[in-house]
Amino acid sequence: MVLEVLYFAWLRERIGQPRETITTEARTVRDLVAQLAAMDDWHAQAFADMRAVRCAVDQKLVDLDTPLDGAREVAFFPPMTGG
Amino acid sequence: MSARVQTAAFDLAQELQGFGAGAGAVVTFTGVVRDDSGRMAALELEHYPGMTEATMNEYGAEAARRFDLIDWRIVHRHGRLGVGEQIMFVATAARHRRAAFEAADYLMDWLKSRAPFWKREIASDGQAEWVQAKDSDETSLLRW
């Protein structure tokens, strides 16, 4: 499966790019995080504390155990601070 | 009934033209950039295009259902904003005052911790720092 992975705010800065295309066998968001964190030090740092990371699959806010069946876009970001 | 995200400033009078026809009560809320540290030069807002509009529309529709709104409008800015500039705007229209107030409050609470915006404070010396989400924002949701 090929996924577009997006990063926002300090996750984008830590990883050094706003998006990347990832080929993965991950079944859930948690599996994908494990794969990304193993890529290099920047990814490892970005995903070091998952309490500070939120995730959206195809632009819907989800939790880490959400399956990735049929997903096309996964985004990672810190808790929102709009308004 | 509409949600918009934009860089440009907005005009309250213009936003309210034709808004909530037939309502007994219109409530508006405007968020303004404030300087808590006393050394802020600007606020920078990043958002997630696509998801931002979808989220604002989802909560607008939910507020309309819950509070039986006649009309609602959300405008949220992104990009670089100066202290004192408007950052966002919520308007609700209902038959009665309490529903309009509650719907505006409800929308603000949900947008604050569910709409994908991130704020960064740029200090006058150029230092930039991401604004941390507050636990109180999350607990504010529990009352709904």
Side-chain angles (χ1 to χ4, degrees):
Chain A
M1 166 173 56
V2 177
L3 290 175
E4 277 299 298
V5 180
L6 276 59
Y7 307 106
F8 293 95
W10 59 254
L11 272 112
R12 171 178 52 72
E13 291 180 330
R14 215 165 275 187
I15 284 164
Q17 55 187 352
R19 61 166 65 220
E20 55 189 337
T21 307
I22 299 287
T23 303
T24 184
E25 299 300 316
R27 291 188 312 130
T28 64
V29 175
R30 197 184 296 279
D31 295 345
L32 177 65
V33 168
Q35 179 184 343
L36 293 170
M39 281 170 59
D40 55 42
D41 286 352
W42 294 282
H43 286 79
Q45 264 199 7
F47 293 109
D49 180 6
M50 288 308 291
R51 285 170 308 176
V53 178
R54 301 285 179 270
C55 176
V57 171
D58 291 329
Q59 306 193 345
K60 284 248 182 268
L61 203 61
V62 297
D63 63 33
L64 289 174
D65 295 314
T66 301
L68 289 171
D69 303 334
R72 289 185 309 188
E73 183 176 290
V74 180
F76 294 101
F77 40 76
M80 294 78 148
T81 54
Chain B
M1 312 205 184
S2 69
R4 267 179 13 242
V5 55
Q6 63 187 41
T7 53
F10 49 85
D11 180 78
L12 254 74
Q14 218 172 335
E15 295 299 337
L16 291 172
Q17 250 175 32
F19 178 82
V26 171
V27 164
T28 72
F29 169 85
T30 307
V32 177
V33 177
R34 67 170 187 268
D35 179 8
D36 281 342
S37 63
R39 53 187 201 101
M40 199 167 88
L43 193 66
E44 259 177 21
L45 272 107
E46 180 174 336
H47 80 114
Y48 182 173
M51 184 175 169
T52 311
E53 293 84 346
T55 307
M56 296 195 302
N57 276 305
E58 186 187 324
Y59 287 116
E62 179 59 20
R65 192 190 62 74
R66 268 180 92 126
F67 300 98
D68 199 16
L69 296 181
I70 287 166
D71 207 350
W72 59 269
R73 180 164 291 182
I74 304 165
V75 180
H76 207 304
R77 295 176 71 190
H78 68 102
R80 197 180 173 95
L81 305 178
V83 175
E85 280 197 64
Q86 298 162 329
I87 177 168
M88 63 119 35
F89 165 80
V90 160
T92 55
R95 288 183 56 75
H96 300 288
R97 145 182 73 91
R98 193 168 304 282
F101 271 117
E102 284 187 353
D105 207 12
Y106 168 92
L107 277 174
M108 282 312 305
D109 276 351
W110 282 94
L111 294 174
K112 190 93 192 161
S113 44
R114 291 291 187 274
F117 287 96
W118 301 278
K119 283 193 246 191
R120 193 160 66 145
E121 287 186 7
I122 316 293
S124 36
D125 61 4
Q127 292 264 350
E129 202 172 324
W130 291 102
V131 174
Q132 300 264 340
K134 296 189 198 80
D135 288 343
S136 57
D137 290 341
E138 196 60 33
T139 48
S140 296
L141 300 181
L142 299 175
R143 64 196 176 110
W144 305 109

